[in-house]
Amino acid sequence: MKKRTIFFEDLGIKEYQETWKYQKKLFKDIIQKKINKVSCQKVGYLLFVEHPNVYTIGKNGKKNKHLLVPSDFLNKINATFYQTDRGGDITFHGPGQLIGYPILNMDYFFTDVHKYIRLLEEVIIHFLKFYGLEGVRKKGKTGVWMNNDIGKKSRKICAIGIRMSRWVTMHGFALNINTDLRYFDYIIPCGIHDQEVTSLRKELEKKEIPFEIAKNKVKKSFQDVFNVEFNHL
């Protein structure tokens, strides 16, 4: 099958709200062209970004139950909070975490929400193999966990939350590479009790994972799983 070409952009470190606005601009542009039946050859985009400390919660999330600290405490830990239009519950984004936002016109791929989410998970599972690690899915849940030992809590390494309208996607995945995991102590991550959050650094017992190398491996995994090539913006 011929590979599709999508635009890739690495935004570096950027505030959540600013990136969200940028996502919505790209997202709405594709949708508007579909509504107006304007020929649109843009298959889509993949954005990479790191956010300063921020908690985000999905449109059906439960802030009162799953944010464990008062709002004024967030100022003390230099964090912000946003209610978003994605699916999923509460999670944390911060330095050392790789965020991937695919904004794709699924007419060029397939029109199946569940398959799309499973493929996002597959990107991360594929990526972890570069480091000799086994990532797994958890029945009835979204995201990627580490293969856990019997009797131990599940360890989530990647959260996924998306929005899809008229078969165009936005939001995406948050992969913990060198993330400061202490920030997860103030929430019930993704609204799931009795689980731990982990990072690539923690799993490999390293002081630091070379971030640029990890980003390139995630890019390669995305290319392989979605069968695409990148046109760099």
Side-chain angles (χ1 to χ4, degrees):
M1 182 184 295
K2 184 179 178 181
K3 290 188 176 182
R4 303 161 188 83
T5 300
I6 65 175
F7 293 97
F8 174 82
E9 187 172 5
D10 189 337
L11 301 176
I13 299 174
K14 194 173 286 288
E15 290 285 347
Y16 183 83
Q17 189 174 34
E18 185 180 354
T19 310
W20 189 12
K21 288 180 180 178
Y22 184 48
Q23 274 197 85
K24 286 191 283 190
K25 177 180 178 294
L26 301 177
F27 175 77
K28 290 177 179 179
D29 179 63
I30 294 175
I31 288 178
Q32 198 59 48
K33 284 183 170 61
K34 293 179 74 170
I35 291 172
N36 295 335
K37 297 182 179 180
V38 175
S39 177
C40 180
Q41 298 304 315
K42 289 184 178 178
V43 175
Y45 305 82
L46 175 63
L47 309 178
F48 275 2
V49 68
E50 284 179 86
H51 293 310
N53 299 330
V54 58
Y55 294 97
T56 69
I57 194 166
K59 55 188 177 181
N60 296 318
K62 300 176 181 178
K63 178 182 177 182
N64 293 338
K65 290 185 177 180
H66 299 156
L67 178 63
L68 303 177
V69 294
S71 297
D72 58 358
F73 182 79
L74 299 182
N75 294 328
K76 297 179 182 178
I77 59 173
N78 195 31
T80 54
F81 178 91
Y82 288 98
Q83 181 98 32
T84 77
D85 55 357
R86 63 167 171 79
D89 208 291
I90 194 167
T91 195
F92 167 75
H93 304 309
Q97 183 190 73
L98 176 62
I99 308 293
Y101 292 133
I103 304 164
L104 304 178
N105 183 346
M106 297 305 293
D107 288 343
Y108 290 96
F109 295 91
F110 49 81
T111 51
D112 185 325
V113 176
H114 296 289
K115 181 178 179 181
Y116 173 65
I117 293 172
R118 298 293 83 79
L119 285 190
L120 288 182
E121 292 168 344
E122 190 61 33
V123 169
I124 306 306
I125 291 169
H126 187 280
F127 159 78
L128 291 169
K129 290 178 181 177
F130 285 117
Y131 293 91
L133 297 174
E134 182 183 3
V136 298
R137 296 177 177 87
K138 194 171 181 179
K139 188 175 181 180
K141 306 296 181 185
T142 299
V144 178
W145 280 258
M146 302 311 302
N147 193 17
N148 59 303
D149 299 326
I150 295 174
K152 292 188 177 180
K153 290 183 178 180
S154 299
R155 307 187 308 280
K156 192 171 189 178
I157 196 166
C158 180
I160 292 174
I162 70 161
R163 179 186 175 192
M164 191 177 291
S165 177
R166 293 182 180 267
W167 298 113
V168 179
T169 71
M170 65 179 290
H171 299 291
F173 62 83
L175 172 64
N176 295 322
I177 297 176
N178 295 314
T179 318
D180 185 346
L181 300 177
R182 292 175 296 180
Y183 279 85
F184 287 96
D185 293 341
Y186 306 120
I187 61 173
I188 299 174
C190 303
I192 303 172
H193 297 267
D194 299 321
Q195 72 159 14
E196 295 181 351
V197 178
T198 191
S199 65
L200 187 60
R201 177 174 63 187
K202 183 175 180 180
E203 292 298 315
L204 294 176
E205 298 180 344
K206 300 286 187 180
K207 185 175 181 181
E208 197 82 4
I209 303 297
F211 200 73
E212 291 301 317
I213 292 175
K215 281 202 291 191
N216 286 332
K217 292 183 185 300
V218 176
K219 280 178 66 178
K220 177 64 168 59
S221 295
F222 193 95
Q223 285 179 300
D224 291 346
V225 171
F226 281 87
N227 192 34
V228 296
E229 294 177 334
F230 290 132
N231 186 343
H232 292 74
L233 289 174

